[in-house]
Structures are given as structure tokens and as C-alpha cells.
């Protein structure tokens, strides 16, 4: 007996429908014209299907209780939006399926499990009520255009059955009962409904099939859905096949390896390569004498790879991590060979001058002798390019008998460059610090962190912040690289950093370092460096004999003054290199050494036209001119300030040019106001400000300039212009001017004095509070210079414009004299 032949009486007892054949009407003819609606989610129920229906506790369970004792018929309609909790009539489609309730089972949570038999399609004509139950007037729908004898109709039906058979044969989810049901259904409309109900498609596609009354069109739509499902199944089988193939290969390889192990064991053959590899790793770990957290971590990681498949990606990641950790010098150190006499000899041999820096380095080494375990301090060498900052680091490493490693920080924007990547990332690696230790193979090298003032920032982090832990002696004893993820002791590493200026170094980072400034070289120092180091080095690099090029002091000074006036010696070396190339070309052609010493004329032929004009550009030739001294990251430089008055009908005013920054513009405004105040009772001089537009220009116009140290220079220039007096020749000045005429101290004194000496300026006006900076400058630099220390701008004017007696500080070098 089939479920299609069963109905239940009001006492839930089954009744055989074969006994009702004499009745006047069938079950579907007895369907009521008004139905209580039960909303269903996800997919509609098609006619001709017996299926259980779960109804949650609520108003729809009350509907079941209401109709179970009446018509036993309900209307099932799909909800448009599955996410809605409160269902209204507007949320429902208008075509659904009428179903008879065959059996009801109460569930423990108050809900119902109802066995239903779906009978017929219907369309809602109107909703009678929505509360408390959805009740609607319906009309029942019949299939149309059913021509079973048509050839096209038969062909479509057979094609649907054929595709369905292919689908059921290749899909294990289709049960034997489904296949039997498919064979026993003979109505085309029911075939389409049954096939649709077992497909996995979108809810809108289900509803479209349910609303299609033309059986031929319904079959065509189902056929398209079957084609699509078969294509998906084909791709799925291909993917599954490739996965199974890989799994089978891995299993086969595993079994073969296990068999090989067993055979070797029976034959007494040595351990396989992997076993030897694991033994070597454990032996390395013991030799390193690891302890604490890193020892536990390594035991854990080696234990992991013991049971891992060597072909897996995780094995490669773990193995790389183990190799990196075991290659680090956890307890390996070089023995410091500290001999102060030897160290001093090395520093003197490698570098000319730089006495302050050498003195500080020897002090550091002396502390190391007395207390080898001392943490010491981080040294930061600050100075213009080409003064020997990086080479000093190499000399320190040689003096200590330590390995040297240089890390360039210029342009670095990624924090991971310092602290590494976490192992979860593809291609992860440790940071530069750990990589350097791995290369040096000792845990106490000299690390040179070059160009620390040129660190950048980006969305990847701030490398300067990452360096805080590295450069702090109180923290770096437990430095934790993200890749290693275990503490490494960096307290034995000697860190030396370099910078052109500390202005761009974050303050919290600069506080962790001891700043040692390297000023530029004067001409005599450059001469000694070129004679002792640069020329012999270039002769060797170009394959020339020791006497291949002869340059006397006159020749060197010609190169220095006309081709290489920068603070460092890098450009000087470049010019000597150019002379060596020209000489090498001459020797290659003529097979002989050029005769004689190079004269300035010959040097000009080799190097071309002089790069620098003569010193007339920084000489006082007119009124309104004053020479200041400026500091730049590349060293000190003379700075000319020019002032003129332009007749202006609208009265006075101030105009500034020369790419002046905000601070320098304020200094110009203060100088303008104070000089105007100073000359208010001087008749013609006062009228210059009231009748003229005052224009101040600072060459070169293409170079940006800023800072307060040109204050007294601008005031002197304005005073010269207003009084029509020239400043005495050979005088340069620097100092900040306040609105009340006081002269405040400025920085970069050593660099400015060197720049004045290069420019052949003999007298320098400085703020009195900068007298302490003069004490730190070597005597050979101060030799031949007169220094005037001032507190007020009136003192500056007295010194600059006449020869009245004024106290001045005598330079401490030989040949210094006071200007009176």
C-alpha cells in the first residue's frame, strides 16, 4: 500500500482509499477554497510528495491544531526573505502547494513534526486575514498543454529522464528509493516536479518551476537545470580525483618509507638520512649549550619535524627556523684584545685629525679594560658626508679585535627590517640585527648603523621605534626578534651609529646615544689626508707605481681650493681618482711614467675648469653687505646678506627673498625693527626706513635657508645700508638677535669657524655665551683668527664699522691676537 492511497480519519486512523472508489469526489476535488497558510523557508514543496515538516512553537503550531480536526488541509508558500522573523502576507510569494496532514508528532520544545502529502498547486486570490493566522482565498491551478503523444514532448521527457539517470548514477547521495520513484512516475508534470525537488538550486529557480503551469516549458527549464548540475558534478569529480591522487601518492610514499626503514633495520644498515639529520640537529643544540626559553623551544621544534612529512610545507618552514636559530652565536664571543697603545696607533694610522673622537674612543676602551662586563654606551658620530664616520667604525673594530658589520638605515621604512617577520608569513626571515649576528658568527661584534637620521615611516611601521629596544643598554639584553621569538642578548654588541644631523632623529632615540660631532676639515687637514691616504690608495687601485704621480703641497692646495671645498674629503678623493685615470691612460699609451711634479696648469688640464669661483663673492665691496656664518648638514658655509632701499611713495616696508624659512624671516623682521629703532634719531638714516621699501636678499636664491643665527648679520647689513657705511673687510659674524638688541648663542660654532678659515676671513663676531665652544676647538684651527665676543647688537656695530677699542677674546692657538 502506497502513502498516496492513505488518508487519516479524525482519530488519526489510516483509511484505505481503495475503499472510497465509490465516492463521488476524489481527495483533490474536495480541497477547500480557503486555506490557512504556513510559510516555509529555503525551498518550496512540489505536489505529489510525502515529506515531514518541522513547525516551530508559535502561532503556526496553533494553525495545525485548528485544521487537524477540520479539513486537514494547509497551504504551503515560500517566504521571499529567509532572514525575516515576523512574517506578513506581503513577504510571501503568491503561488504555493496545498497539502494534506497525514500525521502529527509533538516535539519536546513545543514544536510539531507534521507528515504531509502535497497535492496541488494554488494561487492566492486574496488574503482574508493576517492576524492571528494568515488565512487566504485560493484558486487551484491545473497543468496545461499536456500532449503526451507529441514527438517533441516525448523527446524532452526522455532527455530529462536520461540526464536524471546520469545524475543519479554519479551521485552517491541519491538513494535507491529515489531511483525507484523516478522509474514509477509516468506523468510528465510530476516528473518535472520530482526532478526539481531533488536538485540543489537557488530558491528563485525552485519558485519559477512551481509557477510554470505549461508542462512542456516546465520540462525544458528542468532540462537546463539538469545540464548545469551535471557540469558542476563533472568539475567536482575532477577536483576530487586530483585530491585523491595526491593523497594516494603521499600514502604510498609513506608506506614505502616505512617498509624501507624496516628492511634497513633487519639488515643492520645505518640509520637513514633523516635520522642522521635529526641527530646532527640535536648535536648542534648541545654544542651551543642553550638554556632557558630557547632550549625548550628548540626541543619542541625538533620534536615536531620528527613526526612531520618532509614533503609538507610546514616541515620546510620549521626546518628553516631551526637552522636559523642553530646558526646564531648564542654563547660564542671573540676575546677582546684591548691595548690602548695599539688602539691609538691604529686610529692615528687610519685617520688624520679627529682628536676629540679618538680621545672618546680610547676612553671607551679604557673602561673595557677595567670592567669587561660593563655595558658602556651607544656612540653616535654626527658630521657632514665624507669626514670618515663609517671608516672610524672599522678602525674601532680592528682595535678591539672584533668582527665588523654595517647596516644601512637610509630610507628604511619597514619595522620588520629591524625586528624580523613572524613565522606565519610566507617568506618570513629575521631582522637585520639577527642576520648580522648570523654572518659575524660571534655575539660581540661592532655594529655600524649608518645614516640613522634618514629613517622613514610608512604603514608598515616605524623603524626608529623598533631601534629603541636595540639601542637601550637596559633593554637589549633580552632583545626579542619576531622571527626567533626568544630573547637574544645584545648587550655585548658595540653599536655605533652615524648621522649627518641629529635634528631628524627622534628625541627618544637620540637620548639613548652619546653624540660625538665630527666637523669638516680645513685645507691643511685635507692636504695631509690627501698626501697620506688618498693618493697612495688611488695609485694602488689604478695599478700605478708609488711614484707614478707626484703632487706637491701647492698642487694639492690648488685641488682643494678650486675643486673640493666641501667639508669632507669624498669629492677630493674623486678628483685624485680622475687624475689617476688620466695618468693611467698616458702610461698605457706611452709605456712610461709622466715626468715631474704636477703643476696647477697640468691639474687644470686633467680636471677641467675650476668648480669654485674666487673669494670675491664673499668680500665686502659695497654698503648693505654683511657676511654671516651658517651651519648645514654638509658643514659650515659663509652666507652673504644684501640690503638695498627702494623709493616707495607708499612709505616704508620690508621685502625678503632668497627662499628664507619662517624662523629666518622672523629674524629679518626683528633686525629691521631694531635697526629702525636704533636710528630713529639719526635724521637721514631714519628717513631711509620711512621713505623706502627695504629689500633683503640672501644668495643663493635657489637654496632654502632657515634658522635664527643670521639675526646680527641682517641687522649689520641694514645698518650699513641705512648709514651708507661699509663693514670692515675680513669680518664674519653669527648670532641670534632679540627684539631688545641682545645677542643670543647659536650652534655649529666649530663648523662655522672652519668655514670662515676656508674663506680666508680673519675676524669672527660670536655671542659671548658661545665662549665655551671656543675652548673645545683645537688651536691649529683657531690659529690666525680673532674672535670678538658680544652681548648686544651695539657692540657688533662698533666692531664691524669702526676701529674703536673693544675687548675681544684672544684665540688659544698660536698666532691668535685680539682685534682692537
Amino acid at each position: 500500500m502506497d502513502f498516496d492511497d492513505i488518508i487519516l480519519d479524525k482519530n488519526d486512523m489510516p483509511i484505505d482509499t481503495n475503499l472510497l472508489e465509490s465516492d463521488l469526489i476524489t481527495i483533490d476535488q474536495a480541497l477547500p477554497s480557503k486555506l490557512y497558510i504556513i510559510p516555509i523557508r529555503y525551498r518550496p514543496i512540489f505536489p505529489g510528495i510525502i515529506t515531514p515538516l518541522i513547525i516551530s512553537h508559535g502561532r503556526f503550531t496553533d494553525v495545525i491544531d485548528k485544521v487537524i480536526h477540520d479539513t486537514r488541509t494547509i497551504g504551503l508558500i515560500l517566504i521571499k526573505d529567509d532572514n525575516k522573523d515576523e512574517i506578513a502576507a506581503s513577504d510571501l510569494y503568491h503561488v504555493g502547494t496545498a497539502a494534506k496532514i497525514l500525521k502529527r508528532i509533538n516535539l519536546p520544545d513545543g514544536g510539531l513534526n507534521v507528515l504531509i502529502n502535497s497535492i496541488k498547486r494554488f494561487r492566492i486570490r486574496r488574503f482574508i486575514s493576517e492576524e492571528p493566522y494568515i488565512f487566504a482565498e485560493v484558486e487551484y491551478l491545473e497543468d496545461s498543454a499536456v500532449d503526451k503523444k507529441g514527438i517533441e514532448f516525448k523527446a524532452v521527457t526522455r532527455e530529462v529522464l536520461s540526464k536524471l539517470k546520469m545524475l543519479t548514477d554519479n551521485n552517491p547521495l541519491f538513494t535507491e528509493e529515489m531511483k525507484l520513484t523516478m522509474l514509477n512516475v509516468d506523468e510528465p508534470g510530476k516528473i518535472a516536479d520530482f526532478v526539481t525537488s531533488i536538485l540543489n538550486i537557488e530558491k528563485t529557480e525552485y519558485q519559477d518551476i512551481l509557477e510554470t503551469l505549461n508542462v512542456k516549458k516546465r520540462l525544458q527549464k528542468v532540462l537546463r537545470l539538469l545540464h548545469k548540475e551535471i557540469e558542476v558534478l563533472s568539475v567536482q569529480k575532477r577536483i576530487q580525483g586530483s585530491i585523491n591522487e595526491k593523497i594516494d601518492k603521499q600514502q604510498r610514499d609513506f608506506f614505502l618509507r616505512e617498509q624501507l626503514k624496516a628492511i634497513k633495520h633487519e639488515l643492520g644498515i645505518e640509520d637513514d638520512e633523516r635520522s642522521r639529520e635529526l641527530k646532527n640537529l640535536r648535536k648542534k643544540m648541545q654544542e651551543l649549550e642553550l638554556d632557558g626559553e630557547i632550549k625548550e623551544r628548540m626541543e619542541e621544534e625538533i620534536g615536531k619535524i620528527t613526526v612531520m612529512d618532509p614533503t609538507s610545507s610546514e616541515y620546510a618552514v620549521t626546518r628553516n627556523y631551526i637552522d636559523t636559530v642553530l646558526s646564531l652565536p648564542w654563547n660564542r664571543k671573540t676575546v677582546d684584545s684591548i691595548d690602548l697603545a695599539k688602539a691609538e696607533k691604529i686610529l692615528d694610522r687610519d685617520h688624520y685629525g679627529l682628536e676629540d673622537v679618538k680621545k672618546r674612543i680610547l676612553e671607551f676602551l679604557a673602561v673595557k679594560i677595567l670592567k669587561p662586563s660593563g655595558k658602556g654606551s651607544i656612540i653616535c658620530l654626527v658630521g657632514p658626508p665624507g669626514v670618515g664616520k663609517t671608516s672610524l667604525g672599522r678602525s674601532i673594530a680592528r682595535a678591539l679585535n672584533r668582527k665588523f658589520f654595517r647596516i644601512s638605515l637610509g630610507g628604511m621604512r619597514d619595522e620588520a627590517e629591524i625586528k624580523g617577520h613572524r613565522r606565519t608569513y610566507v617568506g618570513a626571515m629575521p631582522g637585520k640585527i639577527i642576520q648580522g649576528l648570523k654572518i659575524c658568527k660571534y655575539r660581540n661584534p661592532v655594529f655600524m648603523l649608518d645614516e640613522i637620521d634618514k629613517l622613514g615611516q610608512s604603514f608598515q611601521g616605524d623603524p626608529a621605534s623598533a631601534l629603541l629596544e636595540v639601542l637601550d643598554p637596559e633593554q637589549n639584553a633580552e632583545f626579542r626578534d619576531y622571527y626567533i621569538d626568544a630573547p637574544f642578548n645584545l648587550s655585548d654588541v658595540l653599536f655605533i651609529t652615524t648621522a649627518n644631523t641629529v635634528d631628524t632623529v627622534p628625541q627618544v632615540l637620540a637620548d639613548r646615544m652619546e653624540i660625538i660631532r665630527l666637523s669638516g676639515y680645513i685645507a691643511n687637514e685635507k692636504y695631509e689626508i690627501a698626501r697620506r691616504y688618498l693618493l697612495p690608495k688611488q695609485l694602488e687601485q689604478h695599478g700605478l707605481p708609488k711614484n707614478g704621480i707626484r703632487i706637491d703641497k701647492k698642487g694639492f692646495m690648488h685641488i682643494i681650493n678650486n675643486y673640493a671645498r666641501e667639508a669632507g674629503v669624498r669629492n677630493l678623493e674623486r678628483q685624485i681618482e680622475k687624475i689617476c685615470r688620466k695618468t693611467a691612460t698616458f702610461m698605457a699609451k706611452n709605456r712610461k711614467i709622466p715626468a715631474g711634479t704636477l703643476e696647477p696648469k697640468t691639474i687644470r688640464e686633467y680636471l677641467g675648469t675650476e668648480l669654485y669661483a674666487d673669494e670675491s663673492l664673499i668680500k665686502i665691496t659695497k654698503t648693505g653687505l654683511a657676511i654671516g656664518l651658517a651651519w648645514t648638514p654638509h658643514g659650515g658655509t659663509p652666507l652673504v646678506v644684501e640690503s638695498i632701499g627702494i623709493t616707495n611713495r607708499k612709505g616704508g616696508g620690508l621685502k625678503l627673498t632668497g627662499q628664507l624659512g619662517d624662523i629666518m624671516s622672523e629674524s629679518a623682521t626683528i633686525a629691521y625693527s631694531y635697526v629702525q629703532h636704533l636710528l630713529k634719531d639719526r635724521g637721514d638714516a631714519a628717513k631711509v626706513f620711512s621713505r623706502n621699501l627695504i629689500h633683503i636678499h640672501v644668495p643663493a636664491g635657489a637654496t632654502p635657508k632657515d634658522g635664527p643665527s643670521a639675526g646680527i648679520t641682517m641687522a649689520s647689513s641694514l645698518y650699513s645700508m641705512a648709514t651708507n657705511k661699509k663693514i670692515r673687510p675680513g669680518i664674519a659674524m653669527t648670532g641670534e638677535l632679540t627684539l631688545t638688541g641682545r645677542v643670543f648663542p647659536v650652534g655649529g660654532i666649530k663648523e662655522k669657524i672652519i668655514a670662515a678659515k676656508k674663506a680666508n676671513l680673519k675676524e669672527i663676531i660670536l655671542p659671548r655665551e658661545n665662549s665655551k665652544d671656543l675652548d673645545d676647538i683645537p688651536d691649529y684651527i683657531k690659529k690666525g683668527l680673532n674672535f670678538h665676543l658680544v652681548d648686544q647688537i651695539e657692540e657688533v656695530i662698533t666692531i664691524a664699522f669702526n676701529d674703536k677699542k673693544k675687548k675681544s677674546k684672544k684665540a688659544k692657538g698660536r698666532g691668535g691676537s685680539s682685534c682692537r
Side-chain angles (χ1 to χ4, degrees):
M1 184 180 299
D2 196 289
F3 272 113
D4 287 336
D5 300 325
I6 295 178
I7 64 173
L8 304 179
D9 62 10
K10 291 183 179 182
N11 297 319
D12 293 344
M13 296 299 293
I15 300 174
D16 193 341
T17 55
N18 294 326
L19 302 177
L20 304 177
E21 288 179 355
S22 59
D23 292 350
L24 296 176
I25 59 175
T26 61
I27 293 176
D28 59 346
Q29 291 173 331
L31 294 173
S33 61
K34 297 176 183 178
L35 294 175
Y36 287 97
I37 304 301
I38 303 293
I40 57 176
R41 299 180 188 272
Y42 310 124
R43 57 194 296 176
I45 295 176
F46 288 86
I49 295 174
I50 297 175
T51 183
L53 185 67
I54 304 296
I55 301 175
S56 302
H57 178 66
R59 58 174 176 157
F60 296 116
T61 57
D62 298 338
V63 170
I64 300 300
D65 292 336
K66 189 173 183 62
V67 302
I68 196 74
H69 299 295
D70 191 5
T71 63
R72 306 180 73 91
T73 307
I74 55 175
L76 305 175
I77 292 189
L78 187 65
I79 303 170
K80 294 178 181 177
D81 187 358
D82 295 336
N83 298 319
K84 278 211 169 188
D85 295 326
E86 294 297 328
I87 308 301
S90 59
D91 299 322
L92 304 175
Y93 287 99
H94 280 242
V95 176
T97 306
K100 286 286 186 180
I101 299 174
L102 302 181
K103 190 172 183 62
R104 180 189 69 182
I105 299 174
N106 294 325
L107 298 176
D109 61 355
L112 295 176
N113 186 350
V114 181
L115 184 66
I116 60 167
N117 179 18
S118 55
I119 299 171
K120 200 162 192 174
R121 288 174 171 80
F122 70 85
R123 180 182 291 111
I124 293 176
R125 299 181 65 182
R126 68 185 180 89
F127 288 99
I128 299 172
S129 67
E130 293 189 40
E131 295 292 341
Y133 316 119
I134 301 177
F135 192 53
E137 181 181 344
V138 303
E139 60 174 335
Y140 295 96
L141 306 174
E142 300 291 342
D143 290 344
S144 62
V146 180
D147 181 13
K148 297 182 181 180
K149 295 182 180 180
I151 295 176
E152 186 178 352
F153 191 86
K154 286 183 179 180
V156 173
T157 305
R158 287 183 181 179
E159 182 66 14
V160 169
L161 292 174
S162 173
K163 295 297 182 185
L164 183 61
K165 187 173 185 305
M166 289 176 58
L167 194 64
T168 55
D169 290 342
N170 293 306
N171 194 334
L173 297 177
F174 290 105
T175 61
E176 290 298 325
E177 289 79 0
M178 287 184 179
K179 296 177 182 178
L180 288 173
T181 304
M182 178 187 68
L183 294 174
N184 293 328
V185 175
D186 56 355
E187 291 291 332
K190 289 185 178 181
I191 290 174
D193 290 344
F194 174 74
V195 172
T196 306
S197 66
I198 63 176
L199 293 177
N200 184 19
I201 56 178
E202 298 291 332
K203 64 182 291 185
T204 53
E205 294 176 321
Y206 284 122
Q207 186 65 25
D208 181 44
I209 299 295
L210 184 66
E211 294 179 359
T212 303
L213 301 180
N214 187 301
V215 177
K216 182 178 177 183
K217 289 184 178 179
R218 193 189 306 167
L219 284 168
Q220 289 173 342
K221 289 181 179 181
V222 171
L223 187 59
R224 284 196 293 271
L225 293 173
L226 280 170
H227 275 289
K228 189 165 136 183
E229 190 72 16
I230 290 171
E231 287 177 5
V232 172
L233 184 64
S234 174
V235 174
Q236 184 180 351
K237 283 182 66 179
R238 187 169 66 251
I239 294 172
Q240 188 65 37
S242 64
I243 293 173
N244 289 338
E245 183 180 348
K246 290 180 181 178
I247 293 174
D248 292 343
K249 184 180 183 305
Q250 289 179 357
Q251 290 177 340
R252 177 176 173 275
D253 293 345
F254 174 76
F255 289 135
L256 288 175
R257 280 194 296 271
E258 292 301 317
Q259 290 175 355
L260 184 60
K261 285 182 184 178
I263 293 171
K264 286 185 176 181
H265 180 72
E266 290 295 328
L267 294 175
I269 300 176
E270 292 183 356
D271 294 337
D272 60 1
E273 183 179 348
R274 187 179 178 189
S275 298
R276 289 196 301 272
E277 184 181 337
L278 293 172
K279 283 183 180 179
N280 289 334
L281 292 178
R282 289 192 172 92
K283 183 180 178 182
K284 280 185 182 179
M285 191 177 75
Q286 291 176 354
E287 291 174 352
L288 289 174
E289 299 179 357
L290 301 179
D291 58 0
E293 181 180 341
I294 189 61
K295 182 179 180 181
E296 295 176 4
R297 176 68 57 81
M298 290 306 299
E299 288 175 347
E300 180 183 342
E301 297 296 331
I302 292 176
K304 277 184 187 177
I305 64 170
T306 303
V307 296
M308 274 186 192
D309 182 4
T311 60
S312 68
S313 59
E314 183 66 22
Y315 179 89
V317 171
T318 306
R319 180 58 199 273
N320 287 338
Y321 172 78
I322 293 172
D323 288 342
T324 301
V325 172
L326 294 182
S327 63
L328 293 177
W330 293 91
N331 296 299
R332 190 180 183 192
K333 296 167 62 175
T334 54
V335 179
D336 289 345
S337 175
I338 304 177
D339 184 340
L340 289 183
K342 178 184 176 184
E344 187 173 7
K345 186 177 179 182
I346 290 174
L347 292 173
D348 287 337
R349 185 176 67 239
D350 292 349
H351 299 274
Y352 180 82
L354 306 177
E355 300 302 328
D356 293 344
V357 182
K358 294 176 183 177
K359 180 180 177 182
R360 176 62 189 89
I361 293 169
L362 292 175
E363 289 171 357
F364 172 81
L365 298 180
V367 173
K368 277 288 181 184
I369 293 175
L370 298 178
K371 190 175 181 182
S373 61
K375 295 180 179 178
S377 58
I378 311 298
I379 299 174
C380 180
L381 304 176
V382 179
V387 295
K389 299 186 294 295
T390 305
S391 59
L392 263 174
R394 298 183 187 275
S395 300
I396 294 171
R398 287 203 296 125
L400 285 170
N401 191 33
R402 293 192 184 187
K403 295 288 184 179
F404 178 81
F405 188 78
R406 175 181 170 272
I407 299 174
S408 178
L409 302 179
M412 187 179 290
R413 294 178 176 270
D414 190 355
E415 177 187 342
E417 294 282 345
I418 303 296
K419 301 198 71 173
H421 306 82
R422 299 193 185 278
R423 277 198 290 161
T424 52
Y425 296 105
V426 176
M429 62 177 65
K432 297 288 187 185
I433 304 297
I434 295 297
Q435 290 182 37
L437 290 167
K438 181 180 176 182
I439 293 171
C440 291
K441 301 186 185 307
Y442 294 95
R443 59 177 277 185
N444 62 338
V446 174
F447 265 25
M448 173 68 76
L449 303 180
D450 228 351
E451 310 293 353
I452 198 170
D453 57 324
K454 297 176 180 62
L455 285 169
Q457 289 186 12
S458 69
F459 65 92
Q460 297 168 308
D462 181 9
S465 299
L467 280 174
L468 293 177
E469 181 184 0
V470 175
L471 299 181
D472 191 341
E474 301 299 326
Q475 298 182 41
N476 61 14
E478 292 188 354
F479 172 71
R480 190 176 287 267
D481 185 276
Y482 289 145
Y483 183 81
I484 304 299
D485 197 23
F488 192 98
N489 187 358
L490 297 180
S491 62
D492 293 319
V493 179
L494 174 57
F495 288 101
I496 300 174
T497 65
T498 71
N500 295 130
T501 175
V502 292
D503 295 342
T504 55
V505 179
Q507 186 60 41
V508 291
L509 187 57
D511 286 343
R512 285 164 165 77
M513 302 181 291
E514 180 181 352
I515 307 298
I516 299 178
R517 297 190 179 274
L518 285 75
S519 303
Y521 298 108
I522 62 175
N524 285 334
E525 290 176 321
K526 285 187 176 182
Y527 162 67
E528 293 294 339
I529 293 171
R531 181 178 66 85
R532 297 184 187 188
Y533 307 107
L534 303 183
L535 183 58
K537 175 184 172 184
Q538 292 302 323
L539 288 174
E540 181 181 353
Q541 289 187 356
H542 287 80
L544 298 173
K546 289 185 179 181
N547 61 344
I549 297 176
R550 291 185 289 275
I551 305 176
D552 59 11
K553 185 172 183 178
K554 182 180 177 182
F556 276 123
M557 296 304 289
H558 180 76
I559 298 171
I560 292 166
N561 292 326
N562 294 284
Y563 298 93
R565 288 189 192 171
E566 78 286 352
V569 294
R570 192 168 291 152
N571 194 42
L572 176 59
E573 183 175 13
R574 197 173 292 121
Q575 301 303 325
I576 295 174
E577 182 182 358
K578 190 182 294 186
I579 292 173
C580 290
R581 287 201 303 270
K582 301 283 185 182
T583 305
T585 305
F586 175 84
M587 289 183 63
K589 288 181 178 179
N590 300 294
R591 301 294 177 181
K592 64 179 181 178
I593 300 174
T597 302
L598 291 183
E599 296 293 331
K601 181 180 178 182
T602 309
I603 292 173
R604 191 175 190 276
E605 292 175 1
Y606 281 6
L607 301 182
T609 306
E610 287 81 356
L611 301 178
Y612 297 95
D614 62 32
E615 301 293 341
S616 62
L617 291 179
I618 52 173
K619 288 181 179 179
I620 303 298
T621 57
K622 296 181 179 180
T623 60
L625 296 181
I627 301 173
L629 297 173
W631 178 92
T632 72
H634 304 287
T637 181
L639 198 69
V640 178
V641 177
E642 303 173 340
S643 299
I644 62 170
I646 306 169
T647 304
N648 186 8
R649 292 180 181 178
K650 296 181 180 179
L654 179 65
K655 181 178 181 181
L656 304 174
T657 55
Q659 289 211 51
L660 307 186
D662 293 339
I663 299 174
M664 202 164 183
S665 298
E666 289 180 0
S667 294
T669 305
I670 292 171
Y672 174 80
S673 298
Y674 191 79
V675 173
Q676 191 174 8
H677 165 75
L678 191 65
L679 298 175
K680 67 178 186 292
D681 299 325
R682 294 281 295 271
D684 292 340
K687 292 178 182 178
V688 170
F689 291 95
S690 61
R691 296 178 180 177
N692 294 276
L693 172 67
I694 306 301
H695 187 167
I696 298 178
H697 178 66
V698 185
T703 305
K705 310 165 193 72
D706 204 2
S709 64
I712 66 173
T713 311
M714 290 180 169
S716 299
S717 173
L718 289 171
Y719 189 91
S720 172
M721 179 270 303
T723 60
N724 201 27
K725 291 182 180 180
K726 283 198 304 182
I727 294 176
R728 290 191 300 107
I731 291 183
M733 60 191 73
T734 182
E736 180 180 357
L737 177 64
T738 70
L739 195 56
T740 58
R742 296 175 61 192
V743 180
F744 273 17
V746 292
I749 295 298
K750 185 176 181 181
E751 290 83 355
K752 293 176 180 179
I753 291 174
I754 291 174
K757 194 172 182 70
K758 288 180 184 176
N760 203 27
L761 298 168
K762 301 300 182 182
E763 298 181 58
I764 301 174
I765 300 175
L766 298 174
R768 189 172 300 279
E769 292 184 38
N770 282 121
S771 62
K772 59 183 182 298
D773 298 302
L774 286 177
D775 297 334
D776 297 331
I777 298 175
D779 291 342
Y780 67 88
I781 293 179
K782 294 185 291 186
K783 181 181 178 181
L785 298 178
N786 297 325
F787 301 96
H788 304 275
L789 304 179
V790 297
D791 293 312
Q792 297 289 329
I793 185 63
E794 289 84 356
E795 300 176 67
V796 176
I797 292 171
T798 299
I799 296 168
F801 289 93
N802 56 51
D803 205 14
K804 287 183 180 179
K805 293 183 179 180
K806 183 69 183 175
K807 290 183 179 179
S808 57
K809 179 165 181 175
K810 188 175 181 180
K812 293 186 178 180
R814 288 181 300 167
S817 62
S818 62
C819 175
R820 299 186 181 275

